């Protein structure tokens, strides 16, 4: 089977796997990028969210064939030169997590949100993040963290 | 004292037991039923666990009393603390480190917590029942104080001075007279501290805390925001295979026939049948799924009841053998005969699922007859013993390690995934990882027990409650007794044969019992024509409960705004496991009876607060999770199958359900700290139900509440 070429976190990777395999499995099991999580396999919880050419996708429902030749960014690709992304910093400041299992998906979703909407209202945040589940219920802190990150990004 | 602790833990473990689990392997079946069917192993484990956990009883093995078992100071001064408790998001990795740092006089940064590794830490019953803060924290604090004393003695001996002249602070011992000082690591030179502790040394009072009591950030927060933290489901081992289990068509099914010839033809696939256990393992997940799909199987399942018949069956179902006698004070019948106001109400709670976002997972590796398993469980030592029993090896041949886990909420007690992974690994001769799918999690884990609660009450015209009868069918006895002053009471728990596998859930039955009691209190208040807050204050003399009611009333400005047809305010409160709470909910009801929860205010008091930010996080999270059980969560089932095993069908709270949340912490530095991961959830549902009544005049007595 021929490899499929995907750019992951800025690096071209040649992947040998069936084309209909979910991107999530390739990221976690083949590329050992385990920061992206399995939560439901049905696109209902958002734990597996990654950026595909800067837009969010549910990697559990995205077949490998669909990302051939495209650029994927995972939670591991957000740090720049060892510095946390402003959204990651805001999640730390607000302690917007408990068990942390939803956190990667939340942060990646929030990165996409503030890149498309530089000044989101709380209603915008709730609407855009509603597909991500935090079973620990840290929603008030996540809303605060996204607001905080957007404001920091505006200033910066 | 020792006996009291023992009784508490025994009773707690009994309530935590998961009933109706799977049968495992063919060879073991008869013995296994003997061991697990009657819960003998679990009870035995609880009984000696007791002695060990309290460390104060004469009989049975005890917790180690030497410092070295709990705490190690390396030559560089770094401190390692050993505990059988596990981190599942409740933030005890941080709060325990704070308390050790406080007593040892070191920084939180110089401490690492080794948690839930059965080869490295002292035995522990498990992480449940809000016991970490009231029992494990004092245990570790004792050891830290003892270690500090040893360090002072070492320095005093070296310098030839009295111990009492020396000061322990910032990881070193200092002689203020000579300005001499030695780091802890220089004093121990990496050797174990072997002092045996016979009595509890004096602990630092909360009033003097400098590190405990502070809003310390989560110790390894950066690992979570970068995705670097490795959960069980993220681990891998050289040569590891991915395992999948073939699930039956329904509960209690037996395997009639299996043809795995097609699966076996797929290269590198291992297929296992053992009793009713069928599973496959393969070098990658897609091959494992292909092999699973290639199995041809027939099951036979008995016919079983559906959720439509659930509540009737709980009321009429056959009683379990360990029915408890009623707790009786005075005479309810006589008091009711003289009551001006008499009420009866029947309340119900549905089966609900924990739905931890990280599903059950385990990675198992055999080395000869030694087994190592990494798994996300709340009871590493109990899982170790389950594995030993399932594979007929001594417990000391099994090592269970628990990476910080993607939540549990009481849902990760047994070692199902661990046993499955170990069975496949044994057959394959390679390490095997099993991660349950969401559908498996919703079906084959276990549920918060459904229940029916019946209350009968009587009050005088002035609002004094004089009679109270409370019967709980199946949901559980936690927080069943009333916190109000009532002279005549009858309280009884009725265990029944339950249709689904059920067990521990955050707060146990305290949620159901508070829902029924605080709803009924509201009904009585309205019948007596008294404000629901005043009615509660009139009937309780418990200062801690009064304090949280008063605190929440002030924060929520209770009584300033009146309920009307489109807006209602409701209040509820109580206590459990040392935590006292009062909750106010404000709801908006539109003409179509659609409900929106606008605001939830909660006052919470659990003694001296160890970490106010962590505590707030737990209370906010409990409110959010409580909204799920209050408003929409319910497991639907029919004939041994779950009808809604997906997040698209089983609705959990999402961002759009987020109300305005306000938390008031009542910090009682004069009282021992209690756990707080569970109890803040119990007031949410009754506060909402009471607010709905205030707005609409409709009394909702079933969780989840159906308003339209």
């Amino acid at each position: 089977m021929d490899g499929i070429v995907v750019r992951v976190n800025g690096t071209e990777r040649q992947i040998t796997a069936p084309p209909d395999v979910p991107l999530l499995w390739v990221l976690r099991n083949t590329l050992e990028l385990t920061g992206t999580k399995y939560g439901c396999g049905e696109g209902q919880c958002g734990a597996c969210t990654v950026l595909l050419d800067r837009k969010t996708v549910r990697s559990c429902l995205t077949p490998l064939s669909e990302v051939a030749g495209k650029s994927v960014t995972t939670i591991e690709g957000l740090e720049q030169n060892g510095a946390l992304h402003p959204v990651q910093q805001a999640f730390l400041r607000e302690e917007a997590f408990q068990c942390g299992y939803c956190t990667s998906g939340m942060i990646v979703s929030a990165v996409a949100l503030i890149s498309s909407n530089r000044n989101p209202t709380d209603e915008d945040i709730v609407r855009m993040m509603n597909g991500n589940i935090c079973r620990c219920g840290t929603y008030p802190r996540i809303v605060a963290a996204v607001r905080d990150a957007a404001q920091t990004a505006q200033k910066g | 004292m020792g006996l009291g602790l023992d009784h508490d833990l025994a009773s707690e473990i009994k309530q935590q037991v998961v009933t109706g689990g799977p049968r495992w392997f063919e060879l073991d079946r008869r013995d296994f039923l003997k061991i697990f069917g009657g819960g003998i192993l679990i009870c035995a484990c609880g009984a000696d666990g007791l002695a060990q956990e309290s460390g104060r009883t004469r009989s049975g093995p005890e917790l180690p009393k030497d410092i070295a078992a709990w705490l190690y100071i390396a030559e560089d001064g770094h401190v390692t603390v050993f505990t059988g408790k596990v981190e599942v998001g409740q933030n005890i990795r941080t709060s325990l480190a704070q308390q050790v740092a406080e007593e040892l006089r070191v920084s939180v940064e110089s401490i690492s917590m080794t948690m839930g590794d059965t080869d490295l830490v002292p035995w522990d019953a498990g992480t449940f029942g809000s016991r970490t803060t009231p029992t494990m924290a004092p245990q570790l604090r004792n050891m830290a104080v003892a270690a500090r004393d040893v360090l002072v003695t070492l320095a005093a001996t070296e310098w030839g001075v009295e111990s009492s002249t020396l000061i322990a602070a910032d990881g070193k011992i200092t002689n203020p007279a000579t300005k001499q000082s030695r780091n802890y690591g220089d004093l121990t030179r990496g050797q174990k501290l072997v002092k045996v502790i016979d009595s509890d040394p004096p602990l630092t009072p909360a009033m003097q805390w400098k590190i405990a009591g502070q809003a310390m950030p989560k110790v390894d927060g950066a690992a979570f925001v970068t995705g670097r933290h490795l959960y069980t489901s993220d681990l891998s081992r050289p040569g590891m295979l991915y395992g999948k289990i073939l699930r039956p068509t329904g509960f209690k099914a037996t395997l009639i026939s299996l043809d795995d010839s097609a699966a076996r033809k797929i290269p590198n696939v291992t297929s296992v049948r053992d009793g009713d256990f069928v599973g496959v393992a393969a070098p990658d997940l897609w091959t494992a799924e292909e092999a699973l799909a290639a199995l041809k199987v027939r099951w036979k399942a008995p016919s079983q009841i559906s959720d439509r018949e659930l509540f009737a069956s709980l009321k009429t179902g056959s009683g379990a053998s360990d029915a408890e006698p009623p707790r009786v004070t005075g005479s309810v019948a006589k008091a009711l005969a003289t009551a001006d106001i008499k009420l009866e109400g029947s309340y119900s709670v549905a089966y609900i699922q924990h739905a931890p976002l990280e599903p059950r997972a385990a990675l198992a590796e055999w080395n000869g007859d030694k087994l190592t398993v990494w798994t996300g469980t709340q009871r590493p030592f109990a899982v170790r013993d389950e594995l030993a029993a399932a594979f007929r090896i001594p417990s000391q041949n099994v090592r269970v390690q628990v990476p910080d886990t993607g939540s549990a909420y009481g849902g990760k007690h047994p070692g199902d995934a661990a046993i499955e992974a170990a069975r496949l690994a044994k057959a394959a001769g390679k390490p095997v990882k099993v991660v349950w799918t969401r559908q498996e999690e919703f079906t084959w884990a276990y549920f918060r027990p459904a229940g029916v609660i019946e209350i009968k009450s009587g009050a005088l015209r002035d609002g004094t409650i004089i009679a109270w009868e409370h019967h709980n069918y199946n949901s559980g006895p936690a927080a069943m007794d009333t916190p109000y002053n009532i002279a005549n009471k009858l309280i009884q728990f009725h265990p029944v044969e339950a249709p689904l596998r059920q067990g521990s859930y955050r707060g146990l039955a305290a949620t159901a019992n508070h829902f029924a009691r605080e709803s009924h209190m509201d009904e009585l208040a309205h019948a007596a024509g008294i404000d629901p807050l005043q009615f509660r204050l009139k009937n309780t003399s418990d200062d801690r409960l009064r304090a949280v009611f008063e605190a929440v009333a002030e924060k929520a400005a209770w009584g300033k705004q009146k309920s009307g047809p489109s807006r209602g305010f409701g209040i509820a409160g109580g206590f459990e496991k040392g935590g006292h709470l009062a909750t106010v909910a404000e709801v908006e009801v539109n003409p179509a009876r659609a409900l929106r929860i606008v605001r939830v205010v909660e006052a919470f008091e659990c003694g001296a607060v160890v970490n106010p930010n962590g505590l707030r996080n737990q209370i906010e999270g409990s409110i959010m999770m409580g909204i799920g059980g209050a408003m929409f969560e319910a497991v639907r089932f029919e004939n041994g199958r779950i009808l809604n095993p997906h997040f698209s069908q089983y609705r959990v709270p999402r961002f759009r359900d987020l109300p305005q949340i306000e938390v008031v912490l009542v910090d009682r530095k004069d009282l021992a700290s209690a756990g707080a991961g569970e109890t803040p959830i119990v007031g949410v549902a009754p506060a909402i139900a009471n607010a709905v009544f205030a707005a609409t005049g409709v009394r909702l007595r079933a969780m989840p509440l159906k308003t339209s």
Side-chain angles (χ1 to χ4, degrees), chain B residues 388-624:
Chain B
F391 296 100
R392 296 165 168 268
I393 53 177
S395 280
Q396 61 264 29
N397 281 18
V398 183
R399 179 180 187 180
V400 171
Q401 297 178 67
V402 182
D404 290 7
T405 294
S407 75
Y409 320 114
K412 290 181 176 168
H413 285 216
D416 298 6
I419 292 174
E420 291 163 357
R423 184 65 188 86
L424 290 170
K426 195 171 184 185
K430 288 178 178 173
V432 171
K433 180 164 74 173
V434 169
V435 181
W436 284 22
T437 64
R438 180 55 52 190
Q439 185 168 0
E440 287 177 297
E441 187 68 34
F442 265 124
T443 307
W444 297 102
Y446 55 96
F447 305 97
R448 196 253 341 243
V452 174
I453 296 165
E454 293 183 338
I455 298 179
K456 216 190 278 186
S457 67
L460 301 178
R461 202 161 289 119
D462 72 351
T464 307
I465 310 171
I466 57 168
W468 190 271
E469 190 167 327
H470 180 127
H471 296 273
N472 178 310
Y473 297 88
N474 190 59
S475 104
M480 193 166 58
D481 205 351
T482 168
Y484 301 103
N485 303 331
I486 305 172
N488 304 284
K489 293 189 288 186
L490 188 155
I491 315 281
Q492 192 170 19
F493 171 50
H494 307 263
V496 300
E497 293 273 346
L500 298 184
R501 188 185 191 195
Q502 62 182 34
S504 167
Y505 184 100
R506 189 177 207 169
L508 296 172
T511 295
N513 286 318
H514 273 85
F515 170 63
R517 178 170 57 245
E518 287 298 292
S519 295
H520 197 85
M521 286 294 288
D522 208 61
E523 295 179 49
L524 269 181
H526 285 282
I530 301 176
D531 170 80
L533 170 66
Q534 295 310 323
F535 180 71
R536 286 170 170 81
L537 292 175
K538 180 181 175 63
N539 283 288
T540 184
S541 51
D542 183 300
D543 289 341
R544 296 174 71 181
L545 185 57
R546 295 181 69 89
V548 287
F549 270 128
E550 282 157 4
V552 82
E554 190 189 337
K555 182 77 172 178
W558 178 262
K560 295 270 160 56
Q561 256 183 295
K562 294 289 169 212
S563 297
S566 63
R567 185 167 295 260
F569 299 86
I571 193 165
F575 57 78
E576 169 68 350
K577 296 190 165 83
H580 290 65
L581 74 134
T583 311
V584 167
E586 176 181 348
V587 304
E588 216 174 69
V589 188
N590 75 13
R593 285 256 183 92
L595 183 75
R596 191 170 77 88
I597 302 163
V598 178
R599 183 184 183 212
V600 176
V601 186
E602 181 157 327
F604 193 75
E605 186 258 291
C606 53
V609 175
V610 176
N611 182 328
N613 191 36
L615 177 58
R616 280 179 188 281
N617 206 343
Q618 287 302 309
I619 298 169
E620 292 161 8
S622 289
I623 291 170
M624 277 319 302

